[in-house]
Structure formats: structure tokens, C-alpha cells
Amino acid sequence: MSKVNGSSRNLLKQFIPMATSDIVMALGDPIIIFVLASLPDSTHYLAAFALGKSIAVFFESPIIPILPTANAMAYQARARKLLFQFTLILSIGLMIGMLLIGCFPALSMFFQVDTSLWQSASLLVLLLCPWPLVISLRRYWQGQIIRAGFTHIIAKGSLLRCLLLTITAFTMAFFTHQGAWIAAAALLTGAVSELLFIRNKINKITLQEDCSASPLPDNLMAMSRYYWPLAQSMISLWGARLLLPLLIAMTSTLNVAIWAAGWALVISISNGVRMLQQLVIRNINHTHKTTLCLFSISIGCSFSLLLFLLATTPWGHEFLHYYAGKQDKLLLGIQDILLVCSLLPLLMSLQNFCQGLHMVQSSTAVIGRSALIANLMLIAGALFMMYLNASPAWFAIIVCLTTLLEVFLLAYQLKNNINDGHTISLMRLIRMIPLKITTRTSIKTINN
């Protein structure tokens, strides 16, 4: 028991800085939304931010796997150099794509979205053109820092990013009421400052070489084959999430404003579990997979509880009251989304645990295939909800159900893989959930 507790404490020591990084990073959107909610015509700017940021994140989605890939390849200099070249090519292509989208606001004709709303959203996309390059380079160096074990650097960089983002957003609001300029200036200032901080730190870190490890891609074509399933999983995920505000916008501007505000809080808290994937990749060779799984479930339950309390308690209501700019319709809609999505962090923790195991096994195709199936179901469900003119909370239900589907698909593939010391059966994974909640070990882990 003491050995398990010791392993959990070690995992928690690694995880807290990384989780802090993702949580602080995700706080950027709620901060910007808080500023936009105080502007004249706040509903318009909130809706435009929801659409514009969703498009920007969709173009960011193919570079999201740069982080775990850099983590997995950090021990071979040749692979690191190859990944850097691949990162530059990919991010420059994405920048050109954002430029084209931002320069053609007439694209609103393909969606039943208000023209002025689309113009504001496309302006935000145009201003955020450097976003893919900045984020991809930051993630490339972050992966190497995580592999070297200096996770506290990641947390410090995110704190710096959040601080400068906040200062920029509030300062810009004094000089202009143009929501697109406020949001773009805040996002880019924070991201660039974090990139410069991370780049400075990586110069002081020496990565150990391990040529005896399993072979990695040795040319751009091999790198593309390795990386594409990971990118495809993120493209399908964020493509589906891009369609969500577009589909919700077809029901009403108020509904998409509710979704923007509510989803920003959900993802800010849920993002705290994303680094579990990096934890699995780094520790699977010297930590038992059951310990990693139980730890992941504990973390997921903790963040799920936080969302539930925010949606149901008086202090949560008071916070949401000010967050929503004291607008009752926004407040009620946000509460519904938070309550529905209370289960999402737990589901995401299991998702990232399974994805980490697949990364170690180099079965990246399973990750891409599972994400594609789940996200096609997400789009189908969202289309049905749009047809019914459903409230944003029903779209949140679809998100949770399709995330659960992806977890089952990932776990099922692990069950059917050849036993190599890293696999875990689907039924065993399910049985661990109530076990962990009721054991003393879980309570100690969460309290620590």
C-alpha cells in the first residue's frame, strides 16, 4: 500500500504543474468573455468570439498532438530535428488557411448566420493568423521540457501567459469597444510571451539520448504517417466543436452566447485532466498501468466534482452571476451546461489515459479512428438538436455521450491488442471507477 501511495504522490508531483498549465491557459477564454460581457452589444461580441475562436482552434487542432509527439521523441536528436521541420511546414500551411478564411467574410452565405456576426468573427480569425505557428512551436518545446522532468517550467509559462492576457484585455477595453481587436490582442500577447519564456528555458536543458529505444520516423513521409492519425483525431474533434456554435447560432444569437460562456468554463476546468496523457507516456515504463489508471480516475473525479459544485452551490451561483454580467438568461443557460458537463472531466481523464497507452504502443491509428467515429456521432446528434431547436444544454449532453463512446472505443482496442505490459481490459477499466471512489487510497490521493 505504501508503495502505491508513494507512486501516486510522485505522479501528483509531476501532474500538478502540468495541470496548472492547462487550467491557467484555459482561463484565457473566460477572462476575455468577462471583458466582452461588459461591452455595449455584449451578446453580439460574445457570439462572434464563440465563432471566431472556434475557427481558430479548428486550425490549431492539427498541431495539438505536437506536444505528446515531442514528448515521445525527445530522447532522439534526429527525431527532434525532423519533428521541428514537420512542425514548421504544418503550421505555416495552417496560417495560410486562416488568412484565406479571414479575407473572405462572404463565407457566411454557406451558413444561416447573421452577416454582421460573421464579419466580426472573420475579423478575429484574420487577426489571429500567427496563432498556429506560435502555438505549435510552444508545444514542440513544452514536450521536450516535460520529458526532461521540468514540469514546473510549463506552469510558470502559463501563469505568465494568463497574466499578460488579462492585462492586455482590460487595457484594450479602455481604448476600444471592438471585441475582435480586444480578443485577438489579448490572445496573441499571452501566447507570444509564453513562447519566448519556454524558448529561453529549453536552451538551458540537456536532453538525454537513448538510441536503444524503439525506432522513430526517420524522414518526413514516415513522420507524416505516424502523425496523421493524431492530427486527424484533433481535426475531427475540433471540427465537430466548430460546427457546434455554428449550429447553435442557427437557433438564436442568445443560445450561441450562452454556449460560448458556458463552454468556456467547462473546458477551462476540464482541461486540467489533459496532461494525464503526457503523464502516461512519461511514466508507463516504470509505473504499473493500474496505478496510472486509478490516478487518472481520481483526478477526473476531482475536476468533475468542481464543475458540479459550481453549477449547484450558492457560491457557484454568485460567481456565475457576475461572470454572466448579471444577465439572468445567460446565467440560467450557463448553469444548465455546467450541470450537464459535470461528468466530462472524468470521461476526458479516461480518454487521455487510453490515448497515452496507445501512443506508447505506437497504435496512433486507433486514436484517429476512435475520434472520427465519436465526432461523426457528435455532428449527427448536434444536427438533430438543431432541428429540434433545442437549448444549449442538449448540445452539452451530446458532447458527453460521444466522449463516453470514444472512451469505450479506445479501451476496447486496448483489450484486443497483444499483451505487452501496457494494456488493460475494458471491463477492468470500468470496474476500477467505483472501486477507486470508495477506497481509502483515492481519498488520500485527492486530498494530497
Side-chain angles (χ1 to χ4, degrees):
M1 180 68 71
S2 60
K3 183 177 180 180
V4 172
N5 288 339
S7 298
S8 297
R9 282 193 292 269
N10 180 45
L11 293 173
L12 195 62
K13 185 178 179 181
Q14 296 178 52
F15 178 75
I16 287 176
M18 293 191 292
T20 301
S21 167
D22 259 0
I23 294 171
V24 172
M25 177 186 69
L27 284 177
D29 282 3
I31 290 169
I32 292 173
I33 285 171
F34 177 80
V35 173
L36 296 180
S38 65
L39 299 177
D41 200 10
S42 59
T43 300
H44 171 84
Y45 288 125
L46 286 171
F49 178 73
L51 294 179
K53 183 65 189 302
S54 294
I55 293 171
V57 171
F58 173 71
F59 277 92
E60 178 192 348
S61 62
I63 59 176
I64 290 176
I66 292 290
L67 178 62
T69 305
N71 184 354
M73 297 185 176
Y75 56 83
Q76 290 188 12
R78 183 179 180 182
R80 292 199 303 269
K81 183 178 179 180
L82 185 63
L83 179 60
F84 182 75
Q85 296 171 354
F86 182 83
T87 299
L88 288 178
I89 295 170
L90 180 60
S91 58
I92 291 173
L94 294 170
M95 287 175 61
I96 294 172
M98 287 186 68
L99 182 64
L100 294 175
I101 292 289
C103 288
F104 293 99
L107 287 174
S108 62
M109 63 188 301
F110 294 104
F111 306 99
Q112 297 177 10
V113 179
D114 180 73
T115 302
S116 63
L117 176 61
W118 185 268
Q119 287 176 343
S120 295
S122 62
L123 174 60
L124 178 59
V125 174
L126 183 63
L127 295 172
L128 287 176
C129 276
W131 188 258
L133 179 61
V134 173
I135 299 302
S136 64
L137 291 176
R138 186 208 72 192
R139 295 180 75 83
Y140 171 77
W141 286 311
Q142 279 182 328
Q144 297 175 21
I145 290 173
I146 290 172
R147 187 71 175 198
F150 298 101
T151 54
H152 63 280
I153 294 176
I154 307 296
K156 290 179 180 178
S158 293
L159 288 170
L160 174 64
R161 173 181 176 174
C162 187
L163 175 62
L164 292 181
L165 179 148
T166 304
I167 293 173
T168 303
F170 280 95
T171 302
M172 287 288 293
F174 278 108
F175 294 99
T176 180
H177 287 166
Q178 296 297 316
W181 285 94
I182 293 172
L187 288 168
L188 287 175
T189 300
V192 171
S193 63
E194 184 184 17
L195 172 63
L196 295 175
F197 175 80
I198 293 295
R199 183 66 183 92
N200 178 62
K201 294 298 182 181
I202 196 66
N203 287 333
K204 304 173 183 178
I205 294 174
T206 301
L207 294 167
Q208 295 182 351
E209 295 296 304
D210 185 5
C211 297
S212 63
S214 57
L216 295 172
D218 56 0
N219 57 64
L220 286 175
M221 185 60 68
M223 178 66 73
S224 299
R225 288 194 298 268
Y226 176 92
Y227 190 83
W228 168 244
L230 302 174
Q232 179 260 304
S233 70
M234 291 293 102
I235 291 171
S236 63
L237 171 63
W238 290 106
R241 290 183 180 178
L242 166 61
L243 283 176
L244 280 178
L246 289 171
L247 294 175
I248 296 171
M250 295 180 191
T251 61
S252 76
T253 300
L254 174 61
N255 278 347
V256 76
I258 289 172
W259 178 260
W263 182 251
L265 281 177
V266 169
I267 206 64
S268 297
I269 294 173
S270 300
N271 268 0
V273 309
R274 288 199 314 173
M275 287 295 185
L276 287 169
Q277 183 183 141
Q278 313 311 316
L279 202 70
V280 171
I281 293 171
R282 188 177 187 275
N283 292 279
I284 190 61
N285 290 326
H286 49 81
T287 303
H288 197 277
K289 60 183 179 293
T290 304
T291 302
L292 286 168
C293 182
L294 295 178
F295 180 81
S296 300
I297 292 171
S298 298
I299 295 297
C301 288
S302 301
F303 283 98
S304 285
L305 179 61
L306 180 58
L307 267 179
F308 180 78
L309 294 176
L310 190 59
T312 58
T313 59
W315 63 264
H317 181 276
E318 189 70 17
F319 169 79
L320 295 176
H321 180 67
Y322 287 101
Y323 173 71
K326 301 181 180 179
Q327 301 180 51
D328 290 339
K329 290 183 178 179
L330 273 177
L331 172 63
L332 293 175
I334 291 169
Q335 281 184 314
D336 290 342
I337 291 174
L338 294 182
L339 187 60
V340 168
C341 290
S342 294
L343 193 62
L344 190 61
L346 175 58
L347 296 176
M348 287 178 61
S349 69
L350 295 173
Q351 175 194 45
N352 280 278
F353 168 76
C354 293
Q355 287 176 340
L357 293 182
H358 281 294
M359 285 284 292
V360 172
Q361 298 171 5
S362 296
S363 53
T364 55
V366 173
I367 298 176
R369 185 166 57 248
S370 301
L372 181 61
I373 293 171
N375 292 312
L376 286 175
M377 295 300 296
L378 172 60
I379 294 171
L383 284 169
F384 182 65
M385 290 301 144
M386 183 203 69
Y387 175 76
L388 295 179
N389 200 32
S391 68
W394 282 98
F395 288 84
I397 291 174
I398 298 299
V399 171
C400 291
L401 289 176
T402 52
T403 305
L404 177 63
L405 171 62
E406 184 175 355
V407 170
F408 270 90
L409 291 173
L410 289 167
Y412 179 78
Q413 291 297 320
L414 285 172
K415 176 183 177 181
N416 288 312
N417 281 342
I418 300 174
N419 264 339
D420 58 359
H422 296 153
T423 59
I424 188 166
S425 72
L426 174 63
M427 294 309 298
R428 188 176 178 187
L429 181 66
I430 295 172
R431 287 198 299 267
M432 285 179 180
I433 298 176
L435 174 66
K436 183 59 181 173
I437 296 174
T438 56
T439 58
R440 182 180 302 176
T441 304
S442 69
I443 297 174
K444 289 182 179 180
T445 303
I446 294 172
N447 287 340
N448 284 340

